[in-house]
Amino acid sequence: MAKVNEYFKKLPGSYLFADIAKKTAAYAAEHPDAKLIKMGIGDVTRPLAPAVIEAMHKAVDDMSKVETFHGYGPEQGYDFLRQAIVDHDYKARGVDLDIDEVFVSDGAKSDTGNIGDILSVDNKVAVCDPVYPVYVDTNVMAGRAGEYDPKTQRWSNIYYMPTTAENNFNPDLPTEPVDVIYLCSPNNPTGTTLDREQLTKWVNYANEHDAIIMFDAAYECFIQDPDQPHSIFEIPGAKTCAIEFRSFSKKAGFTGARCGYTVIPKDLVRDGQSLNAMWLRRQTTKFNGASYIIERGAEAVYTPEGNKQIEETLDYYRHNARVIKEGLESVGFDVYGAVSSPYIWCKTPNGMGSWDFFDLLLRQANIITTPGAGFGPSGEGYIRITAFGDADATEEAVERIKKMQF
Ligand code: MLT
């Protein structure tokens, strides 16, 4: 008899955002006249930049002629895009990378989930708490998480690093040995960032303990402070201990188009194995590359015109984030993030549970948010609000919240 992956049985019934979508759909079905405002999943709403669209149209035309048609592309991405990434995202910030250290993919979610393929099941994994659920759920699927304890809402073999207002969203170094550390800055869900000194602490720890840092920089384009690192590779020593994940989703509106990339330095070696060579082997076996049309679109993000256009869109979202932060603060909420991030991490009023506050906002204000508890036990007592919506709807949502009585 065929046996299934037994670890799936241990997972929660559905993925966090699928769960919220289900609850919201049920509410909308019961209240067809409700004017719902979506501030839950971090999905962009502004169209792709004209320069990106133009490049994609041209790429479609390429596909229509024998001379310029593209079949299977390189699994690790076309050189034109990898070179643009190396030049603009790294060289321009003082980081030298070889294009063979860049692997283009269909997004950071896939890569942060799939990277576990090249890791032993025996690794001890450390995550921030609250955390982007993909890191935990994919380690559960791989059998690395141990048993779930509903009382503590933790997995026995995962090391949780509380990342809360109490420690200024700067998690402490582990007090027991860990092998793989997931860090996300600007952080999803708290919207806070790790500065150069804080990242240096992690790089030194990882090198001293032969650990690997999985650094998710999907939101780096929102960083405002010019001194803040956008890449972990801006930190000396990171090339021997870190893998970095980047995405065009939030930076350039590719949530529907799908494109991202992962950087694995050739200097990253564990157990005598090059992680770069292992990932290449994994990708060439399981992945046929992102599409030519999409990669041409992503390349256009780096043209002067494309860059200007995507910055205008990012400013639109930055404005929304400011409106939410200032509006909520004006009525006494404790609010974090929002400055170098599209996420606003808001403390619930009067110690209310985060799912209760989620329900209250849905029922009384018809606003969809994400309950902090969905990101881990230390997210209890918070909700996450996204700034990716329409600007008028965002203002309307803030006005609705201001009128609520708590
Ligand atoms: C989120 O809302 O946390 C993100 O949109 C999820 C993702 O990027 O996969």
Side-chain angles (χ1 to χ4, degrees), residues 15 17 40-43 109 132-134 188-189 218-219 249-250 255 258 343 370 375 384 386 388:
Y15 181 60
F17 294 106
I41 191 164
D43 195 4
K109 181 179 184 178
Y132 179 42
V134 171
N188 181 10
Y219 298 92
S249 286
K250 315 297 154 92
T255 53
R258 307 305 309 148
Y343 294 132
T370 309
F375 296 101
R384 193 195 73 175
T386 84
F388 284 121

Side-chain angles (χ1 to χ4, degrees), residues 85-119:
I85 290 167
V86 163
D87 292 344
H88 296 273
D89 286 346
Y90 292 95
K91 206 178 186 141
R93 301 198 64 85
V95 177
D96 278 327
L97 286 184
D98 190 298
I99 66 166
D100 291 341
E101 297 178 306
V102 177
F103 296 84
V104 174
S105 72
D106 67 345
K109 181 179 184 178
S110 320
D111 285 356
T112 52
N114 291 331
I115 197 75
D117 276 11
I118 61 169
L119 299 173

Side-chain angles (χ1 to χ4, degrees), residues 281-293:
R281 185 71 176 83
R282 191 265 175 211
Q283 292 297 80
T284 48
T285 306
K286 289 197 177 181
F287 184 57
N288 260 334
S291 100
Y292 171 72
I293 298 162

Side-chain angles (χ1 to χ4, degrees), residues 314-327:
L314 290 170
D315 277 343
Y316 182 96
Y317 298 135
R318 289 178 186 125
H319 172 79
N320 285 348
R322 234 179 358 256
V323 166
I324 300 167
K325 178 176 155 63
E326 289 170 8

Side-chain angles (χ1 to χ4, degrees), residues 12 38-39 45 126 157 185-186 220 229 302 331 365 385-386:
K38 293 184 188 162
M39 304 175 104
T45 55
N157 201 36
S185 179
E220 56 75 36
Y302 296 105
V331 288
I385 304 174
T386 84

